[in-house]
Amino acid sequence: MEKSRKITLSEVAAQARVSPITVSRALRDPAKVSPEARARIDQAIRELGYVPNPAARALASGRTDVVGVIIPSVSNNVFADVTRGIYDALEGSALSVQMGNTRYSPLTEEELIRVFLSQRPAGLIVAGHDQSPAARAALIAAECPVVQLMEVGPAPIDMAVGLSHYEASRAGAAHLLAQGYRAPAFLGAQMDPRSQQRLQAFRDCLAQAGIGTDDPVVTTPEPSSVSLGCRLFADLLSRSPRTDAVLCNNDDIALGVLFEARRRNIRVPQDLGICGFNDLEMMSAAEPSVTSVAVDRLRMGRDAIGLIRDRLEGRGQPRGYALDLGFRLMTRDSTRRGG
Amino acid sequence: MEKSRKITLSEVAAQARVSPITVSRALRDPAKVSPEARARIDQAIRELGYVPNPAARALASGRTDVVGVIIPSVSNNVFADVTRGIYDALEGSALSVQMGNTRYSPLTEEELIRVFLSQRPAGLIVAGHDQSPAARAALIAAECPVVQLMEVGPAPIDMAVGLSHYEASRAGAAHLLAQGYRAPAFLGAQMDPRSQQRLQAFRDCLAQAGIGTDDPVVTTPEPSSVSLGCRLFADLLSRSPRTDAVLCNNDDIALGVLFEARRRNIRVPQDLGICGFNDLEMMSAAEPSVTSVAVDRLRMGRDAIGLIRDRLEGRGQPRGYALDLGFRLMTRDSTRRGG
DNA sequence: TTGACGGATGACAGCGCTGTCATCAGTATC
DNA sequence: GATACTGATGACAGCGCTGTCATCCGTCAA
């Protein structure tokens, strides 16, 4: 087995009869190199199979082409879609991504931000607005573009892409009331800050409608799942048997409720209205189809990268820019109770 | 805003009153440094907030602590779980992961393998056994551990973790026949090599059982989704109205079939048996619960990293090692037709 | 014709760390 | 008491690339 030796920039330069620095420029800013030299260099690169060494580049230039992405959990459905958006938008650029998992721990998040920043990333994407003070300070001092993802808040550290979870949830709750449901409950798993806002909106909406508040809310620290939705709904029924609708903190739970209702011969939407959150693809395919608050997760990831790329290319948004992607209430059969 | 200057190894060394090289050793191999020196170094690191520069380390040592993971799609449910397993297993190690997305293109895969290998990764994980000859050659020549993930095949390039998709699918098909279904069909989306094997097992199983082969198979190049499951099932019924069971290439499709059957008042399991593949969490929560071939995706990811770490620590498996994780047929209500 | 200017290219040093070899004290062996 | 060996530490060079400054040539206005 012929051990293929590492090809360096200098070897490409020798073959193309130019100096190494010219090859370097041809790679990073082709406009600065004459077309003839460029052609010879390109050919040499192809012939030798040259691949640049990112470590050397990072060391010499003091920056990397890595975008750090710090999210609570890679496996969560919602983040999976956001991640896909990020990868989509990175396609064809020289940037790559490095994922960090906070596992919902502020300390881990702080440490990750510190480590990522120490590598002088091209940009940083963090989930939410609820960083610890130390983390926040580090992000403010960061020299790279920073995007806070998932929600828009009053004071972005740098830029933000997301939506108002309060408003989105409120729309769901209002819809249930508008459909004539009079005893709606809230079901949620692991309550991150965005979930808290959604719960708050639910409570406010009920209070405003003057609906007696025995606070029909069931949550748990467990991570979300469809089975959990079944269990939470069972819990809810034993506590508040008169419940006639549920606002679910996410679609997994909503689907669990749908299945559990069927098991118990509770008719949806007549006896029970179900509204989910996120609008996963399966909600429209379900029988009955399930109302959900649609959030464009793919676009959220894409736009985050877009903002970073724009900034890197000099034509970016100013500090404090917040991009509100909004939401859409997808009204479906699970809350269609007729007049 | 005080611009926090970059702390280097030398500054830590100065503060700890040792030479830089000793600090370097203390970080990489603490046993080689006296306890006193180590203590001073640790304190200096903490006081200064030193974070090593991975680019400099990579450049100097000629290797990185990055495990390359090359999979067809990050967003696919199955890979999302595998990915989580990978991140889980990486926790607490110095390794990090770099994802590459082939988007099911062999050329992209080849290029990714080339680029990843040129960075001298700590290890490489690739999905499947169907690399192009050039990609295969590159992997054979690789100096790092290589794990082929998802399936076990006859001749691993280096190591492999997965299962026999043929056997797994065959178990599902056999189960349908054993339950007395006599006109089973196969439903699949985007057919990757593993899906092809599953389809082959289905066909072989039917042929062996002497079931007349009007080849009730519906597939499509579209990526999988629940709605797609609905559509494929509708297609199937118009082509082969006598179908009494479906073996689905994955659980999304199975769920779509379940919903579509309900819409059409087809009774499950009496008039239609449904068997999925992967055993996503929701299958057990569905009503009726859905039979599926369970694959331990989390463990697959974890074990892949485990193999790489073992190898890096010198106590690894030899070339050619294949770890068969097997599968479990989860028999549930969707195929429980009674006697 | 002269000087100024811009485009293309190159020389040099150094980014922060580690591999290799050298050094040196302290202990074990004969 | 000389030799070999071990463990802890250090000096030095260099990994492959880029930032900075310098150089060279041709073009253009005066």
Side-chain angles (χ1 to χ4, degrees), chain B residues 3-37:
Chain B
K3 174 176 285 184
S4 72
R5 219 177 28 67
K6 198 91 176 188
I7 306 293
T8 71
L9 215 169
S10 305
E11 297 170 63
V12 174
Q15 170 121 350
R17 301 190 312 282
V18 293
S19 75
I21 200 70
T22 303
V23 178
S24 171
R25 267 195 288 261
L27 288 169
R28 285 175 299 150
D29 195 352
K32 283 190 177 163
V33 174
S34 68
E36 306 80 51

Side-chain angles (χ1 to χ4, degrees), chain B residues 63-67 90 93-96 120-124 143-146 159 304-317:
Chain B
R63 0 171 241 90
T64 64
D65 289 334
V66 174
V67 176
L90 245 29
S93 82
L95 299 173
S96 69
R120 294 183 175 274
L124 205 52
E143 288 161 33
C144 65
V146 174
M159 299 179 282
I305 295 294
L307 287 177
I308 288 175
R309 292 181 70 171
D310 287 353
R311 182 68 76 71
L312 292 176
E313 288 161 19
R315 52 184 170 78
Q317 301 292 344

Side-chain angles (χ1 to χ4, degrees), chain B residues 14-232:
Chain B
Q15 170 121 350
R17 301 190 312 282
V18 293
S19 75
I21 200 70
T22 303
V23 178
S24 171
R25 267 195 288 261
L27 288 169
R28 285 175 299 150
D29 195 352
K32 283 190 177 163
V33 174
S34 68
E36 306 80 51
R38 216 159 51 205
R40 289 208 308 280
I41 290 169
D42 285 350
Q43 196 191 340
I45 287 176
R46 251 176 290 111
E47 282 174 9
L48 297 171
Y50 169 72
V51 180
N53 180 332
R57 176 178 300 195
L59 184 57
S61 69
R63 0 171 241 90
T64 64
D65 289 334
V66 174
V67 176
V69 178
I70 298 179
I71 54 178
S73 153
V74 274
S75 54
N76 181 310
N77 265 328
V78 172
F79 290 113
D81 283 341
V82 171
T83 301
R84 183 150 64 94
I86 289 174
Y87 277 102
D88 275 4
L90 245 29
E91 199 74 1
S93 82
L95 299 173
S96 69
V97 41
Q98 166 121 28
M99 287 282 168
N101 236 243
T102 70
R103 288 156 200 270
Y104 295 96
S105 147
L107 253 72
T108 309
E109 180 171 44
E110 209 172 299
E111 178 64 11
L112 278 172
I113 289 175
R114 229 168 55 88
V115 170
F116 277 32
L117 280 180
S118 80
Q119 298 172 35
R120 294 183 175 274
L124 205 52
I125 297 176
V126 297
H129 287 242
D130 304 271
Q131 288 73 32
S132 71
R136 204 178 157 83
L139 290 175
I140 290 173
E143 288 161 33
C144 65
V146 174
V147 176
Q148 287 169 293
L149 204 63
M150 304 314 287
E151 56 184 312
V152 292
I157 290 175
D158 182 0
M159 299 179 282
V161 185
L163 65 143
S164 162
H165 289 253
Y166 186 91
E167 295 303 331
S169 174
R170 190 186 174 81
H175 169 68
L176 290 178
L177 295 179
Q179 290 296 308
Y181 296 106
R182 281 294 161 265
F186 182 95
L187 254 38
Q190 220 172 30
M191 296 294 284
D192 66 18
R194 292 166 289 288
S195 305
Q196 297 289 1
Q197 289 169 32
R198 305 210 282 260
L199 172 53
Q200 191 57 50
F202 170 80
R203 285 188 166 135
D204 290 356
C205 193
L206 259 61
Q208 247 174 27
I211 287 189
T213 170
D214 54 338
D215 208 34
V217 169
V218 183
T219 68
T220 147
E222 280 178 75
S224 179
S225 72
V226 178
S227 333
L228 181 66
C230 301
R231 269 184 285 140
L232 291 180

Side-chain angles (χ1 to χ4, degrees), chain A residues 83-119:
Chain A
T83 302
R84 183 151 63 96
I86 289 174
Y87 277 101
D88 274 3
L90 246 29
E91 199 74 2
S93 82
L95 298 174
S96 69
V97 42
Q98 167 122 28
M99 286 283 168
N101 236 243
T102 70
R103 290 158 198 269
Y104 294 96
S105 149
L107 254 72
T108 309
E109 179 172 43
E110 209 171 300
E111 178 63 12
L112 277 172
I113 288 174
R114 229 168 54 88
V115 169
F116 276 32
L117 281 179
S118 81
Q119 299 174 32

Side-chain angles (χ1 to χ4, degrees), chain A residues 6 75 84 118 227 262 281, chain B residues 6 75 118 227 262 281:
Chain A
K6 198 92 175 185
S75 53
R84 183 151 63 96
S118 81
S227 334
R262 169 158 301 286
E281 180 269 333
Chain B
K6 198 91 176 188
S75 54
S118 80
S227 333
R262 171 159 299 287
E281 180 269 333

